[in-house]
């Protein structure tokens, strides 16, 4: 698979949708939710094994 | 190391360097050399970002950190995912829209030349020294563990990096970063599999984690607030957020990586996936250290992991006292091992009271064991006040050298080399870009051809490579506190630079003179925090950033209207 693509002269689009995931809002929510789940998991690990 | 280890090490390194030189051979334009023609897909951006951040110290010291201090270091990264979102929303579209080569280029358009020059100079100073430490730190550890010559190790590491970065620029390092991160992670995964195989067959992974937990090592989260506590939830989330915003948003070694994305979307996705993967990756590396810790509950660890210091005291007039401590250490280990086995047996049945009693007895035995180690460290200090009495960096590689089979040792050492070289490569590329774009092209030779600037960039890469190598050669004079120092030095500047960029992004009425003066005030405040208070260093990032913003607003408001208008 070609890993590069010609982008040098392509116009810059800040509102360009993500290649997957539907919208940027959803992707940001995914990152925050994952962080929250990791913190919860760490809290569980800390408490459970203490 | 055996012949097989050498074969794995030399073969894998040769492959990486040749691959880099081959992939970067067609970089003839400035944009191609510095930013891979802004043509990379998100997963290449992601691997490059991760490989740049994960230096050799990440793979050598982090397991040792967990061995000594438990899992709490993972909290250092809690601000990173939020930082990735903030940068995706703010910095990435701006940098792409302006088609800048470096982050500092943007500051001239927004403020003035002096603010750009200040930020670029702070970066060149800090990152130039930092590149030297990135070479020196793993070389020092490898030289002590393997008996290699420190200077030759420095020279080999620096030469290999200079070779492919100077030849192929950004494209060479983007391609090799992916390979290097792969080798580094494969080395760690292999190491943890071997550790698990070497634990007693009756001990499950859960039991191993219980043992670590009862000895206070599974301390992944601490919600209590304390300004002076280096790693807790709040310092990681808030202080860490500011540090990561500054590192990824204003440090050219990272900005240069995601500017290679072919669009705003590709750069953003690369950053967001870094936000998803970084914390689990660090958790895994720390957990490797936890498993080494559990392994050494069943097999006696050395009294001290830095054998150079041990050899020194063993050859000194205090040798007899050291020998006696070693005997006490062995006895304390045997007693602790007995308690570990009792705990494992007690955890296997429903009698929780028995398990609690076993855990309490284990903690007592562990305290006695650690007491012997404290006595050993005190004796080393008495014998030689300059002795390096922290051995965190040597724990993991000592385990690797003693207990990993032939071939895998070479793989892990290769992983260390890969991690070091991927970070240094990005640093050299960023130093070269900043030198050429923000200094040479801007103020010395503004109207030359692309070919001229590419050649100058190659010379700049070699210059910074030699500068870093030179610093690596003398860095041992500042050791052993150097590695910690570099993180602290980074935090001295990062907050101020971040503040300048945040003012640029969000406070449109603030002009160059106000932000320049504010940056100087903020830097003074950060230095005062470092020298005059006990505030943990992660908070310096917050202080620097907030002071820049507040001072810039105040100074701008206080400036005569005519002066402000003139700047506009």
């Amino acid at each position: 698979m070609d890993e590069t693509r010609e982008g040098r002269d392509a116009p810059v689009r800040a509102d360009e949708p993500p290649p997957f995931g539907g919208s940027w809002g959803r992707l940001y929510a995914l990152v925050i939710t994952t962080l929250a789940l990791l913190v919860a998991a760490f809290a569980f690990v800390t408490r459970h094994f203490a | 190391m055996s012949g097989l280890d050498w074969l794995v090490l030399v073969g894998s390194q040769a492959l990486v360097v040749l691959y880099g030189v081959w992939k970067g051979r067609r970089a003839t334009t400035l944009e191609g050399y510095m930013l891979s023609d802004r043509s990379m897909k998100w997963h290449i951006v992601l691997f490059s970002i991760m490989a740049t951040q994960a230096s050799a110290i990440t793979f050598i010291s982090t397991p040792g950190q967990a061995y000594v201090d438990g899992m709490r270091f993972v909290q250092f990264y809690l601000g990173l995912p939020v930082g990735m979102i903030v940068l995706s929303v703010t910095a990435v579209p701006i940098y792409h829209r302006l088609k800048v080569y470096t982050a500092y280029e943007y500051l001239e358009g927004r403020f003035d030349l002096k603010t750009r020059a200040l930020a670029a100079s702070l970066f060149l100073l800090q990152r130039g020294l930092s590149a030297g430490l990135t070479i020196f730190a793993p070389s020092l550890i490898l030289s002590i563990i393997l008996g290699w010559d420190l200077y030759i190790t420095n020279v080999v590491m620096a030469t290999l990096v200079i070779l492919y970065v100077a030849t192929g620029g950004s494209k060479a390092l983007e391609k090799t970063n992916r390979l290097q991160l792969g080798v580094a992670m494969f080395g760690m995964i292999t190491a943890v599999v071997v550790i698990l195989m070497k634990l007693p067959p009756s001990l499950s992974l859960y039991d191993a984690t219980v043992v670590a937990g009862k000895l206070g090592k599974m301390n992944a989260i601490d919600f209590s607030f304390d300004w002076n506590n280096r790693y807790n939830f709040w310092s990681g989330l808030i202080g860490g957020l500011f540090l990561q915003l500054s590192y990824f948003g204003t440090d050219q070694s990272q900005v240069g990586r995601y500017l290679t994305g072919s669009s705003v979307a590709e750069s953003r996705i690369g950053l967001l996936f870094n936000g998803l993967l970084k914390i689990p990756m660090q958790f895994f590396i720390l957990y490797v250290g936890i498993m080494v810790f559990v392994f050494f509950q069943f097999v006696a660890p050395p009294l001290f992991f830095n054998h150079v210091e041990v050899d020194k005291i063993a050859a000194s007039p205090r040798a007899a006292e050291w020998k006696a401590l070693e005997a006490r250490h062995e006895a304390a280990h045997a007693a602790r091992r007995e308690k570990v086995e009792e705990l494992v047996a007690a955890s296997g049945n429903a009698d929780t009271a028995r398990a609690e009693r076993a855990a309490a007895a284990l903690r007592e035995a562990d305290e006695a064991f650690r007491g012997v180690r404290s006595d050993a460290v005190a004796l080393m200090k008495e014998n030689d006040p300059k002795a390096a009495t922290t051995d965190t960096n040597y724990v993991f590689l000592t385990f690797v050298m003693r207990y990993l089979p032939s071939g895998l040792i070479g793989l892990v050492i290769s992983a260390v080399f890969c991690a070091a070289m991927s970070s240094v490569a990005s640093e050299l590329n960023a130093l070269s870009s900043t030198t050429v774009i923000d200094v040479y092209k801007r103020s010395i030779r503004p109207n030359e051809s692309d070919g001229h600037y590419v050649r100058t960039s190659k010379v700049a890469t070699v210059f910074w490579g030699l500068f870093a190598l030179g610093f690596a050669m003398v860095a041992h004079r500042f050791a052993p506190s150097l590695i910690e120092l570099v993180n602290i030095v980074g935090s001295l500047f990062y907050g101020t630079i971040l503040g300048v960029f945040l003012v640029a992004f969000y406070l449109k009425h603030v002009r160059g003179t106000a932000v320049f003066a504010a940056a100087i005030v903020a830097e003074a405040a950060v230095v005062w925090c470092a020298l005059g208070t006990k505030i943990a260093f992660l908070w310096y990032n917050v202080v620097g950033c907030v002071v820049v913003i507040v001072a810039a607003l105040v100074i701008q408001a206080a400036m005569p209207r005519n002066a402000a208008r003139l700047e506009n």
Side-chain angles (χ1 to χ4, degrees), chain B residues 67-110:
Chain B
Y67 183 95
V68 173
D69 204 25
M71 297 295 291
R72 73 189 192 116
F73 182 64
V74 77
Q75 296 168 107
F76 180 86
Y77 295 95
L78 292 180
L80 188 142
V82 183
M84 296 301 99
I85 293 174
V86 173
L87 292 173
S88 294
V89 173
T90 56
V92 174
I94 291 175
Y95 291 154
H96 268 276
R97 190 176 66 241
L98 298 176
K99 286 194 176 290
V100 291
Y101 285 87
T102 71
Y104 320 112
E105 216 179 332
Y106 161 69
L107 291 180
E108 183 175 357
R110 172 64 182 84

Side-chain angles (χ1 to χ4, degrees), chain A residues 1-10 12-20 24 27-32 34-35 38-39 42-43 45-50, chain B residues 31 39 41-42 44 78 81-82 85 88-89 93 96-97 99 175 178 206 209-210 213-214 218 220-221 233 262-266 268-269 272-273 276 279 283:
Chain A
M1 189 179 74
D2 182 18
E3 292 156 344
T4 66
R5 75 180 193 207
E6 191 54 54
R8 195 176 171 188
D9 299 319
V12 174
R13 287 188 54 204
D15 58 344
E16 185 182 356
F20 46 80
W24 289 110
L27 286 178
Y28 299 150
L30 172 71
V31 174
I32 292 295
T34 306
L35 174 64
L38 282 171
V39 170
F42 293 164
V45 163
T46 304
R47 185 173 290 214
H48 182 76
F49 290 105
Chain B
E31 197 161 43
S39 61
K41 288 267 203 180
W42 67 267
I44 304 286
L78 292 180
V82 183
I85 293 174
S88 294
V89 173
H96 268 276
R97 190 176 66 241
K99 286 194 176 290
K175 299 291 182 179
R178 186 178 47 163
Y206 180 81
T209 313
V210 166
K214 295 300 176 197
M218 296 306 294
I221 282 283
F233 175 79
S262 63
S263 64
V264 172
E266 301 291 345
R268 271 181 177 164
I269 297 274
L272 291 177
F273 265 83
L276 284 173
I279 296 176
F283 186 90

Side-chain angles (χ1 to χ4, degrees), chain B residues 370-551:
Chain B
R370 283 189 287 120
V372 180
R373 219 181 103 87
S374 300
D375 291 348
V377 168
L379 181 65
M380 285 166 63
K381 264 273 187 256
E382 278 174 31
N383 182 56
D384 175 9
K386 288 182 180 168
T389 50
T390 305
D391 60 352
T392 311
N393 295 330
Y394 304 96
V395 172
F396 181 58
L397 283 187
T398 299
F399 168 81
V400 166
M401 294 306 295
R402 289 190 182 186
Y403 300 104
L404 253 56
S406 181
L408 289 185
I409 293 175
L411 177 68
V412 173
I413 302 299
S414 183
V416 170
F417 261 81
C418 280
M421 285 162 57
S422 61
S423 295
V424 178
S426 298
E427 288 173 320
L428 294 187
N429 183 252
L431 287 162
S432 162
S433 303
T434 307
T435 305
V436 171
I437 297 295
D438 295 298
V439 182
Y440 187 78
K441 190 169 185 278
R442 172 64 184 82
S443 305
I444 301 173
R445 300 279 286 272
N447 298 312
E448 298 291 342
S449 67
D450 247 22
H452 174 85
Y453 291 126
V454 171
R455 284 192 298 279
T456 312
S457 300
K458 290 183 179 187
V459 172
T461 303
V462 175
F463 167 79
W464 282 110
L466 294 176
F467 177 90
L469 176 61
F471 187 63
M473 291 297 203
V474 297
H476 61 92
R477 293 183 191 171
F478 308 100
S481 56
L482 197 64
I483 292 155
E484 190 168 43
L485 194 66
V486 74
N487 284 326
I488 296 169
V489 168
S491 293
L492 287 176
F493 297 108
Y494 272 150
T496 302
I497 299 178
L498 175 64
V500 171
F501 273 85
L502 289 183
V503 171
F505 292 149
Y506 295 114
L507 303 174
K508 298 293 180 194
H509 72 287
V510 177
R511 313 308 304 170
T513 301
V515 84
F516 187 83
I520 290 168
V521 172
E523 206 46 58
V526 171
V527 170
W528 175 76
C529 283
L531 300 178
T533 72
K534 288 185 176 173
I535 293 174
F537 75 87
L538 272 173
W539 292 106
Y540 300 167
N541 300 286
V542 183
V543 171
C545 182
V546 171
V547 173
V548 168
I549 294 170
V550 173

Side-chain angles (χ1 to χ4, degrees), chain B residues 48-316:
Chain B
S48 195
I49 287 171
M50 294 187 83
T52 298
Q53 191 177 21
S55 70
I57 290 301
T58 307
F59 292 94
I60 298 174
S61 292
T62 307
Q65 177 92 16
Y67 183 95
V68 173
D69 204 25
M71 297 295 291
R72 73 189 192 116
F73 182 64
V74 77
Q75 296 168 107
F76 180 86
Y77 295 95
L78 292 180
L80 188 142
V82 183
M84 296 301 99
I85 293 174
V86 173
L87 292 173
S88 294
V89 173
T90 56
V92 174
I94 291 175
Y95 291 154
H96 268 276
R97 190 176 66 241
L98 298 176
K99 286 194 176 290
V100 291
Y101 285 87
T102 71
Y104 320 112
E105 216 179 332
Y106 161 69
L107 291 180
E108 183 175 357
R110 172 64 182 84
F111 295 124
D112 50 30
L113 179 59
K114 66 177 181 295
T115 309
R116 173 183 181 178
L118 174 71
S121 306
L122 285 177
F123 170 74
L124 289 174
L125 174 70
Q126 180 200 332
R127 196 44 71 186
L129 296 177
S130 195
L133 296 177
T134 314
I135 295 169
F136 163 73
S139 294
L140 176 70
I141 296 162
L142 291 172
S143 69
I144 286 176
I145 296 279
L146 299 168
W148 292 355
D149 183 277
L150 174 64
Y151 298 110
I152 294 175
T153 313
N154 278 335
V155 170
V156 169
M157 206 176 283
T159 308
L160 291 176
V161 180
I162 291 171
L163 190 66
Y164 71 84
V165 180
T167 309
S170 177
K171 196 165 272 183
L173 79 90
E174 296 285 348
K175 299 291 182 179
T176 49
N177 272 354
R178 186 178 47 163
L179 206 59
Q180 287 162 327
L181 186 65
V183 173
M185 287 310 293
F186 182 66
M188 293 305 284
I189 291 168
T190 310
V192 82
V193 169
V194 173
I195 297 168
L196 292 176
M197 284 165 62
K198 285 188 177 290
L199 290 175
S202 58
L203 192 78
S204 67
L205 189 63
Y206 180 81
D207 290 337
T209 313
V210 166
V211 171
K214 295 300 176 197
L215 291 173
K217 301 295 180 189
M218 296 306 294
N219 50 348
I221 282 283
D222 174 6
F223 287 110
S224 62
F225 186 88
D226 179 359
W227 288 102
N228 302 325
N229 184 354
R230 189 161 283 182
Y231 307 118
N232 59 35
F233 175 79
W234 303 105
S235 71
L237 191 67
I238 303 169
L241 168 64
F242 280 76
L243 175 66
Q244 307 294 351
L245 278 177
S246 190
Y247 176 53
F248 284 95
T250 72
D251 188 314
Q252 183 60 25
S253 59
Q254 281 295 359
V255 174
R257 304 286 43 84
Y258 58 80
L259 282 182
T260 61
S262 63
S263 64
V264 172
E266 301 291 345
S267 297
R268 271 181 177 164
I269 297 274
L271 283 173
L272 291 177
F273 265 83
N274 185 43
L276 284 173
L277 297 177
K278 183 66 183 174
I279 296 176
M281 176 182 148
Q282 288 301 133
F283 186 90
F284 167 72
I285 296 171
L286 284 163
Y287 196 70
V288 172
I290 295 294
M291 287 301 106
V292 172
F293 174 78
V294 174
F295 172 82
F296 279 127
Q297 303 303 305
F298 296 93
V299 175
L303 178 51
F304 195 71
F305 281 92
N306 181 343
H307 74 79
V308 169
E309 293 297 338
V310 173
D311 291 348
K312 262 201 284 186
I313 196 160
S316 76

